[in-house]
Amino acid sequence: MRREDEPEEFEIADSYFQELRTWLGFRDSHEAWIPEAGSRLAQDDGLIKPHQASHNIANAVVSAIDHLHALDSIMLGAGASHTLAPFSLVRAAIECAAQAAWISAPEEQATRIVRSLSLSLKVAKDRETAYSELARRHPNLQGTLPDFDSDKAQLQAILDASGAAGKLILPSSTHILTQVRDLVPRTSALSVWQLCSGFAHGRR
């Protein structure tokens, strides 16, 4: 799709991306990483250091903005759009935004803490999976491999010390999007993500 062939579609897209461009200052500043003193997010952070909820949220928000800005660049910047590649960027942006909402939306502090530490557990699992594959491919690899069981025990100890009752889980993107879909009443973030996932993988 080219701008000269679909001018109305590009005009609509540009109206969305103009708003996105106002978020780039936030993405590129330190504000994303420092919660306001006394805020509930700052209070959450204080209970679960060094795995701050604010860092999980900032990582997700910054990544969502980054993916959408990349879409802006390859579409509006180039004046053309690839057929399927944009769906990968939209899919990732939805996932990341959903992660941030999943952690920050609940009113109950215990729920926010459990969810944030669960996301940190997911990161630990991903790290172990990646390094284990490297070790299999390179048996002489130097260094200590991540220990998921140790990471899980540490995160559970932090959760227990916070006073929030609960058990850590390994959240999937589907699980997260299912739990936050009511935050976007005009559409289903879950179904849009599923459609984008199909296109991103060449399944039309």
Side-chain angles (χ1 to χ4, degrees):
M1 181 171 69
R2 297 178 301 175
R3 187 191 297 270
E4 55 266 34
D5 299 326
E6 305 283 354
E8 292 184 3
E9 282 74 6
F10 274 82
E11 184 177 342
I12 292 170
D14 189 48
S15 68
Y16 284 106
F17 287 125
Q18 283 180 17
E19 179 178 350
L20 167 70
R21 293 166 201 148
T22 68
W23 304 345
L24 298 179
F26 175 80
R27 181 199 66 178
D28 298 332
S29 73
H30 294 293
E31 291 181 40
W33 308 94
I34 305 174
E36 184 179 350
S39 66
R40 73 180 196 179
L41 184 54
Q43 294 171 21
D44 294 349
D45 279 0
L47 291 173
I48 58 175
K49 287 181 178 180
H51 296 274
Q52 288 98 318
S54 61
H55 289 189
N56 281 336
I57 293 170
N59 270 321
V61 171
V62 167
S63 184
I65 295 172
D66 218 41
H67 280 87
L68 291 176
H69 187 225
L71 181 58
D72 181 14
S73 300
I74 67 170
M75 186 175 179
L76 275 298
S81 176
H82 298 78
T83 303
L84 296 176
F87 291 100
S88 295
L89 295 168
V90 174
R91 174 179 180 259
I94 291 172
E95 283 184 17
C96 294
Q99 283 181 184
W102 184 64
I103 295 171
S104 61
E107 290 295 327
E108 303 81 10
Q109 183 180 57
T111 303
R112 298 194 303 271
I113 287 174
V114 169
R115 288 183 175 185
S116 184
L117 290 175
S118 290
L119 189 61
S120 293
L121 183 68
K122 172 66 173 168
V123 171
K125 185 61 177 177
D126 290 346
R127 181 170 58 243
E128 182 198 50
T129 300
Y131 275 82
S132 296
E133 175 61 18
L134 284 173
R136 280 191 289 271
R137 300 285 294 179
H138 304 280
N140 297 321
L141 186 69
Q142 299 297 312
T144 303
L145 292 175
D147 184 345
F148 175 70
D149 290 335
S150 176
D151 291 336
K152 182 177 181 179
Q154 180 194 55
L155 289 166
Q156 186 64 52
I158 292 172
L159 176 60
D160 294 340
S162 75
K167 185 177 181 180
L168 300 180
I169 62 168
L170 284 172
S172 66
S173 294
T174 301
H175 173 82
I176 290 172
L177 278 152
T178 298
Q179 293 204 318
V180 304
R181 59 186 171 189
D182 291 339
L183 298 177
V184 188
R186 290 183 297 172
T187 188
S188 169
L190 176 62
S191 62
V192 174
W193 172 77
Q194 289 169 330
L195 287 169
C196 288
S197 181
F199 285 125
H201 291 94
R203 299 191 299 266
R204 302 196 191 194

